[in-house]
Amino acid sequence: MIAFLIYLPFLLVFVIFAVYAERKVSAFMQDRLGPMVVGKYGILQSFADVLKMMQKEDIIALAADRKLFVIAPLVIFVSVFTGFAVLPLTVNIQGSAAETGIYFLLAVISLDVIGILMAGWGSNSKFSLFGAMRSVAQIVSYEIPLGLSILCVIMLTQTLSLQEISFQQVGTLGFINWNIIQYPFLFIPFVIYFIASLAESNRTPFDLPEAESELIGGFHTEYSGFRWAVIMLSEYGMMLLVSLIAVILFFGSWNTPLPNVGPVLLGDWTSGTAGELSSDLWGTFWLLSKAMLMIFLQMWVRWTYPRIRVDQMMSLSWKYLTPIGLFMVFVSGFWKIWM
């Protein structure tokens, strides 16, 4: 219910402004203006796009498998959104308090592969099918190094509970209590996680499943209007989800980055009083602020690097990220036992 009442409205609002932010970020990086006409500085452009999509005709090709075609966007969105159910928001507010939260999360978001395959096959289009097969190969391959990077954190924290991982990063030293600072070698698993999360989100340079220059639009080529909007909502939802997970695992979760320095209690002032509304407000602010920085980094990468080839994508996963991830699991185990 917390995921439904808090994260769903936030996700819907987030997508509208994230699309606008991405257009402006890309425009800034390419020395152009971006949206400028609809509203001041183009701020209403995303709202206009939503209205446009809501009015578009819902087209289903005659040769398509109607059941698979209709259900696929919902399967993709539900599998992504269900992952929010186990995320803690603040010290007092969390979703499911499952002790195996990260395990559940990894299991449920893997189901979006089924939805993508349903969309590609159900469209009865060679472009859609090629895009779907690329996506399956990509997501299944990059789940291995992503899981290994998360396993490093699990081994060091000795828990599968995301809220417990958050509590272990509480302290008066601010950012020094973060996992990535306490265990400096976690920077390598974080880099692996970040690269794999881009592939999981189908973001450039890993947007081969969509590849508009080769496959028109990939697995969602035949979709229009609201169904296409649901698929895009799922992509931005995955961006937000992997960013929140990264913040919880590596960057202190809902804890303040500011330390207490002598009589200047910056950490206490920016954490609020435990059990009161102030702590929830500060916790929400820090968690979402860090997540927004991660999303900006994803956008930065998108508008900086070109799309890689399929063989390069598979080579990066199996020849480099997976062996390095296995080595870092060994390092984490050695550190936990001997250090």
Side-chain angles (χ1 to χ4, degrees):
M1 290 302 297
I2 286 177
F4 185 77
L5 295 175
I6 296 178
Y7 277 115
L8 182 58
F10 176 78
L11 178 60
L12 297 175
V13 175
F14 160 77
V15 168
I16 292 175
F17 288 98
V19 171
Y20 174 78
E22 183 148 29
R23 287 171 168 172
K24 283 296 188 180
V25 168
S26 63
F28 175 77
M29 291 182 175
Q30 298 172 358
D31 195 22
R32 53 189 177 84
L33 297 176
M36 289 294 292
V37 177
V38 186
K40 190 173 180 63
Y41 304 116
I43 191 70
L44 299 178
Q45 182 64 57
S46 296
F47 295 95
D49 290 339
V50 171
L51 291 175
K52 178 186 70 174
M53 284 189 292
M54 295 295 289
Q55 297 177 64
K56 276 192 172 183
E57 183 179 359
D58 182 22
I59 300 173
I60 301 177
L62 289 175
D65 187 321
R66 190 178 182 89
K67 290 182 180 178
L68 292 180
F69 187 88
V70 169
I71 295 173
L74 296 178
V75 173
I76 298 172
F77 176 74
V78 169
S79 62
V80 172
F81 181 67
T82 305
F84 286 91
V86 295
L87 295 183
L89 186 62
T90 70
V91 63
N92 302 311
I93 303 174
Q94 60 176 317
S96 168
E99 291 297 321
T100 56
I102 190 66
Y103 179 80
F104 169 82
L105 193 151
L106 290 174
V108 75
I109 62 175
S110 301
L111 298 177
D112 70 335
V113 175
I114 298 175
I116 291 173
L117 193 57
M118 289 169 62
W121 181 266
S123 295
N124 196 21
S125 163
K126 60 184 178 183
F127 298 108
S128 300
L129 184 58
F130 286 156
M133 295 306 295
R134 281 185 179 186
S135 184
V136 171
Q138 175 175 304
I139 293 177
V140 170
S141 297
Y142 278 85
E143 279 179 350
I144 307 300
L146 183 139
L148 290 173
S149 63
I150 292 176
L151 183 59
C152 293
V153 178
I154 292 172
M155 292 177 67
L156 293 168
T157 58
Q158 297 288 288
T159 179
L160 293 170
S161 170
L162 290 169
Q163 187 72 321
E164 178 60 31
I165 293 174
S166 302
F167 277 121
Q168 290 188 20
Q169 299 174 82
V170 174
T172 58
L173 299 178
F175 67 92
I176 297 177
N177 293 112
W178 295 357
N179 284 332
I180 202 167
I181 303 298
Q182 292 187 65
Y183 313 104
F185 58 87
L186 278 183
F187 179 76
I188 297 175
F190 166 69
V191 172
I192 295 173
Y193 173 89
F194 181 73
I195 295 173
S197 69
L198 292 176
E200 292 286 311
S201 305
N202 292 330
R203 298 283 296 181
T204 306
F206 301 99
D207 62 336
L208 289 127
E210 298 175 13
E212 72 284 347
S213 59
E214 309 159 33
L215 303 178
I216 307 175
F219 65 90
H220 55 68
T221 297
E222 303 298 329
Y223 285 90
S224 63
F226 182 72
R227 298 186 198 282
W228 182 87
V230 171
I231 294 175
M232 288 297 100
L233 179 65
S234 303
E235 178 178 319
Y236 278 90
M238 180 65 87
M239 286 175 60
L240 179 61
L241 181 62
V242 297
S243 298
L244 287 168
I245 296 171
V247 169
I248 293 169
L249 294 179
F250 298 99
F251 296 104
S253 189
W254 34 257
N255 293 293
T256 176
L258 302 178
N260 290 338
V261 182
V264 183
L265 306 179
L266 295 175
D268 293 345
W269 295 340
T270 56
S271 297
T273 304
E276 295 186 3
L277 179 61
S278 59
S279 64
D280 293 332
L281 293 176
W282 276 113
T284 303
F285 171 78
W286 289 122
L287 181 68
L288 296 181
S289 297
K290 297 172 191 175
M292 293 305 109
L293 288 175
M294 288 292 300
I295 289 170
F296 171 75
L297 186 58
Q298 292 177 348
M299 293 179 180
W300 190 356
V301 169
R302 173 178 181 179
W303 299 104
T304 303
Y305 293 99
R307 180 185 302 130
I308 62 175
R309 299 196 311 265
V310 176
D311 61 309
Q312 291 173 330
M313 174 193 73
M314 301 302 285
S315 177
L316 176 63
S317 174
W318 293 107
K319 291 184 179 179
Y320 298 98
L321 297 185
T322 299
I324 295 173
L326 286 169
F327 176 73
M328 294 312 300
V329 168
F330 171 79
V331 171
S332 300
F334 178 84
W335 181 283
K336 189 63 181 178
I337 294 173
W338 298 105
M339 302 299 289

